[in-house]
Amino acid sequence: MRAHGSSLDALNRWVDEVARLTEPASIRWCDGSDAEYAGLVETMLASGDLLPLNAETNPRSYLHRSHPSDVARVEHLTFVCTPDEADAGPNNHWMAPAEAHAKIDALFAGAMRGRTMYVIPYCMGPIDSPLARCGVEITDSPYVVANMRIMTRMGAAALARIEREGRFVKGLHSTGDLDPERRFIMHFPEELSIKSIGSGYGGNALLGKKCHALRIASHQARREGWLAEHMLIVGIENPKGEKHYIAAAFPSACGKTNLAMLIPTEGYRKAGWKVWTVGDDICWMTPGDDGRLWAINPEAGYFGVAPGTGANTNPTALATLGHDAIFTNVAVTADGRPWWEGLGEGEPVTDWQGRPFDAANGPAAHPNSRFTVSAKQCPSWAPESEDAAGVPISAIVFGGRRPSLVPLVFEANDWAHGVLVGAAMGSETTAAATGAVGVLRRDSMAMKPFCGYNFADYFAHWLSFDKPGAKLPRIFHVNWFRKDADGRFMWPGYGDNLRVLDWMIQRVAGLATGHETPIGTVPAKGELNTEGLDVSPATLDELTRVDVEGWIEELNAIGTYLDGFGERMPERLKAERLRVGKALEAAMENRATAATA
Ligand code: GTP
Ligand code: SPV
Ligand code: MN
């Protein structure tokens, strides 16, 4: 089969070209139907790509074990291939397009021999939304097809839109031989194309996700005047029935899925607060006619971190996972149920590599083990996720894992200050990418691994939204991960994070005065709702205190980081940094004067 309609000529030509290069045994165009999905599952059960789970406790759910050397994104093998190296920026690995094509095409030659080549038309975003964008992924992995079916609007409707628009992002993927030495994830933003080989894992292989919806889309967004961000979108409904949508950027494995599915604590629940999930990982935002930023979730499912997902932390996710889910690299119990650290019930007998569980081998589930599940199965799924116009954003939140210094929450003074706060973001690294875990690194707007162009240009693009008529969201920074001297989290997090979102909404509505500090506005005493909160007043004081000396050091480190982007760094951001620096120095002097007076 091939696609019909003259505007699909380019697609047919590309599919033919790829087939000549990769030499598959057969070609299959995916229509996204239930029957097709069921057939794929059968094929994968037969081949061992999928393992059955307990059909009673987990209906139509399966386990996939990826190769032990292929369990996370690989940033050192991920390239942005722009003609000019400076356009990729110091934040990306770069290769010249011609060299990159030659290198990766050599690996694709004959790579699909004996395999089926699947052609997957997909749409990122509601199928009739002007904010949505289409792509086609060609892959030899049925696991990728099954995941793309859950994660995107995949199949006939997407193909029809591609035929109408004649425009799509081309993504070519093969698992190759899974040799890390022959693994590359290459992006050609000017060609709107992606080539990925040698990995079958998540963000390396499901090309609609990080490759298209962030790296390529961020590049398109800059040209077209919108934003493609690594953000969750959550709707908070107060007892009066008013809804505020908040978009939040936290680095990988730093709490996006959890915040998006937050369950209000008892007091909030009883008072009538509700939380609605629009998206858990990616957010595309465009200025509307009313000057506000309107956002869609380009994805249709969640590819979420399993460990730490338990009845006490994220019961919403657990409820979402009750049926029709794919689990990757989790452990299994004696009765065939999926298991991971932090689940809070059951015991593993088989670890993520299929070995009998032995604590000496490390955790039973891989720390970056994941679930794939349709967003519509989430009990807090927001029906407005399907709105073509998107949802209006009231607040943007940045945050990361900061064991010290960074307060629980502060608000930027204005948009430009907020852009600085986002650009300056730092976080301890996690298992979501290969490499050391727990090392502090700068991760501007949680986009370090995902921005498809030079960060300096990206900051300038962010700043450009501040223009007459714009009604921009307030910008906040949060830190759920402060630790005490014994290494324990000082803030309970999870459902209690609603207390912080509540304060933000009060700020947006002009109901909280806040307390101004050199780094921004923190909650004034008594403004955070502490009813039923299990945190001592002293700890709360510490969590909302601004350590001026510590921040002077922090701002110096931020300065060194931002200077690394050189000439292209926008003046406005440099000025903002100087302004915050002066405010901190002034606070130091005031303190010294007060002490000697
Ligand atoms: P990606 O899918 O990689 O982008 O991750 P994510 O940002 O969606 O992170 P997720 O919500 O899956 O959380 C990652 C880990 O952080 C899990 O182990 C969570 O249990 C933990 N976590 C999430 N929220 C909180 C919180 O408020 N406090 C603490 N202490 N841990 C949290
Ligand atoms: C992340 O690492 O931010 C993820 C998982 O959401 S992946 O799809 O692998 O990028
Ligand atoms: Mn993510």
Side-chain angles (χ1 to χ4, degrees):
M1 196 202 115
R2 41 188 7 242
H4 299 288
S6 59
S7 60
L8 293 173
D9 285 354
L11 173 55
N12 285 318
R13 267 200 309 277
W14 175 56
V15 169
D16 290 346
E17 214 176 277
V18 167
R20 269 198 304 278
L21 175 65
T22 60
E23 302 176 36
S26 61
I27 301 179
R28 198 156 140 195
W29 289 72
C30 300
D31 60 13
S33 64
D34 291 343
E36 176 183 84
Y37 183 78
L40 280 167
V41 167
E42 284 307 313
T43 310
M44 286 188 280
L45 285 170
S47 67
D49 276 338
L50 288 187
L51 301 167
L53 291 165
N54 186 321
E56 255 163 56
T57 55
N58 297 78
R60 297 172 304 282
S61 297
Y62 308 95
L63 168 66
H64 173 74
R65 293 197 185 112
S66 66
H67 191 276
S69 72
D70 184 30
V71 293
R73 284 182 292 100
V74 280
E75 296 179 8
H76 61 295
L77 302 175
T78 300
F79 292 81
V80 168
C81 311
T82 43
D84 184 352
E85 180 171 3
D87 290 334
N91 46 304
N92 280 302
H93 297 291
W94 174 84
M95 207 183 283
E99 186 193 342
H101 280 300
K103 197 170 185 121
I104 203 161
D105 285 353
L107 298 174
F108 271 113
M112 297 190 189
R113 267 177 219 153
R115 303 181 186 174
T116 300
M117 178 175 116
Y118 299 92
V119 182
I120 314 170
Y122 64 87
C123 180
M124 300 309 290
I127 197 91
D128 57 354
S129 170
L131 309 182
R133 293 285 188 281
C134 288
V136 176
E137 174 166 359
I138 297 179
T139 181
D140 56 10
S141 160
Y143 167 80
V144 166
V145 184
N147 276 271
M148 286 291 284
R149 167 118 192 303
I150 298 174
M151 295 303 297
T152 72
R153 280 92 170 165
M154 182 261 256
L159 189 62
R161 180 164 170 163
I162 290 170
E163 176 163 19
R164 217 166 50 237
E165 295 181 333
R167 188 170 83 131
F168 61 96
V169 170
K170 289 182 206 166
L172 172 57
H173 169 257
S174 168
T175 47
D177 58 10
L178 294 178
D179 181 348
E181 298 293 311
R182 281 130 58 82
R183 179 178 297 163
F184 291 103
I185 295 95
M186 306 220 178
H187 303 74
F188 305 89
E190 333 256 308
E191 302 167 25
L192 299 186
S193 86
I194 306 153
K195 291 182 178 176
S196 164
I197 194 162
S199 167
Y201 190 82
N204 301 332
L206 313 176
L207 301 186
K209 196 172 176 57
K210 297 302 172 37
C211 299
H212 176 167
L214 288 178
R215 297 195 191 94
I216 299 289
S218 61
H219 179 96
Q220 277 180 304
R222 179 185 175 213
R223 286 201 178 153
E224 300 169 6
W226 49 284
L227 289 164
E229 300 299 326
H230 190 200
M231 292 178 178
L232 67 95
I233 309 168
V234 66
I236 309 288
E237 183 177 338
N238 70 16
K240 284 184 261 175
E242 296 160 348
K243 267 189 187 178
H244 280 280
Y245 296 94
I246 296 179
F250 308 149
S252 301
C254 290
K256 287 183 300 302
T257 301
N258 277 271
L259 194 69
M261 296 180 185
L262 180 150
I263 300 219
T265 48
E266 202 184 337
Y268 276 94
R269 232 175 14 244
K270 285 201 175 136
W273 289 72
K274 292 197 184 97
V275 173
W276 299 96
T277 309
V278 178
D280 85 322
D281 198 50
I282 302 181
C283 166
W284 286 357
M285 286 184 285
T286 311
D289 294 336
D290 61 357
R292 291 193 288 177
L293 288 184
W294 289 75
I296 60 164
N297 170 15
E299 301 190 283
Y302 311 123
F303 184 64
V305 179
T309 308
N312 295 330
T313 54
N314 194 345
T316 311
L318 280 192
T320 309
L321 294 175
H323 60 97
D324 296 280
I326 299 175
F327 297 89
T328 301
N329 296 337
V330 300
V332 185
T333 63
D335 60 348
R337 284 183 295 158
W339 191 94
W340 49 82
E341 280 71 17
L343 176 61
E345 57 164 330
E347 271 179 46
V349 295
T350 311
D351 77 2
W352 65 277
Q353 298 189 55
R355 302 173 299 193
F357 172 61
D358 178 351
N361 288 332
H366 188 275
N368 193 36
S369 56
R370 301 254 167 182
F371 52 77
T372 319
V373 70
S374 164
K376 286 193 178 162
Q377 289 184 200
C378 177
S380 59
W381 179 76
E384 58 273 32
S385 306
E386 294 291 337
D387 285 359
V391 297
I393 299 296
S394 299
I396 287 175
V397 182
F398 295 117
R401 287 180 186 262
R402 295 298 300 258
S404 60
L405 184 70
V406 179
L408 177 64
V409 58
F410 63 93
E411 183 187 343
N413 297 0
D414 54 23
W415 185 258
H417 181 212
V419 174
L420 175 67
V421 167
M425 254 173 74
S427 192
E428 287 187 335
T429 50
T430 65
T434 55
V437 168
V439 182
L440 183 73
R441 76 159 178 181
R442 296 287 153 196
D443 188 351
S444 300
M445 278 92 169
M447 285 286 277
K448 166 74 186 71
F450 308 120
C451 183
Y453 62 102
N454 190 320
F455 255 165
D457 298 337
Y458 172 72
F459 303 146
H461 181 51
W462 262 84
L463 288 167
S464 75
F465 287 84
D466 190 6
K467 52 186 168 212
K471 295 199 185 69
L472 294 168
R474 303 280 194 113
I475 299 182
F476 298 84
H477 190 285
V478 299
N479 179 20
W480 315 140
F481 299 95
R482 271 286 279 279
K483 286 183 177 167
D484 63 16
D486 300 323
R488 281 181 305 233
F489 288 118
M490 293 164 71
W491 176 250
Y494 302 101
D496 283 304
N497 293 337
L498 182 54
R499 300 173 190 277
V500 176
L501 302 186
D502 177 9
W503 180 72
M504 290 176 190
I505 291 169
Q506 289 182 52
R507 288 288 297 165
V508 169
L511 298 173
T513 350
H515 169 69
E516 275 180 40
T517 83
I519 64 162
T521 302
V522 298
K525 275 221 176 356
E527 279 183 352
L528 268 188
N529 175 0
T530 53
E531 213 183 296
L533 177 68
D534 189 18
V535 173
S536 74
T539 302
L540 207 58
D541 274 355
E542 181 56 29
L543 281 170
T544 49
R545 186 175 77 89
V546 173
D547 165 3
V548 173
E549 275 159 63
W551 272 97
I552 288 177
E553 239 174 82
E554 171 76 2
L555 202 72
N556 284 336
I558 291 166
T560 308
Y561 165 69
L562 294 179
D563 285 344
F565 294 96
E567 296 280 283
R568 293 201 187 197
M569 203 58 193
E571 288 302 324
R572 185 76 185 80
L573 216 54
K574 289 189 202 161
E576 203 48 36
R577 194 178 106 213
L578 290 177
R579 186 192 62 71
V580 177
K582 285 207 182 102
L584 285 164
E585 298 293 347
M588 275 287 273
E589 269 165 40
N590 284 346
R591 251 187 12 200
T593 324
T596 51

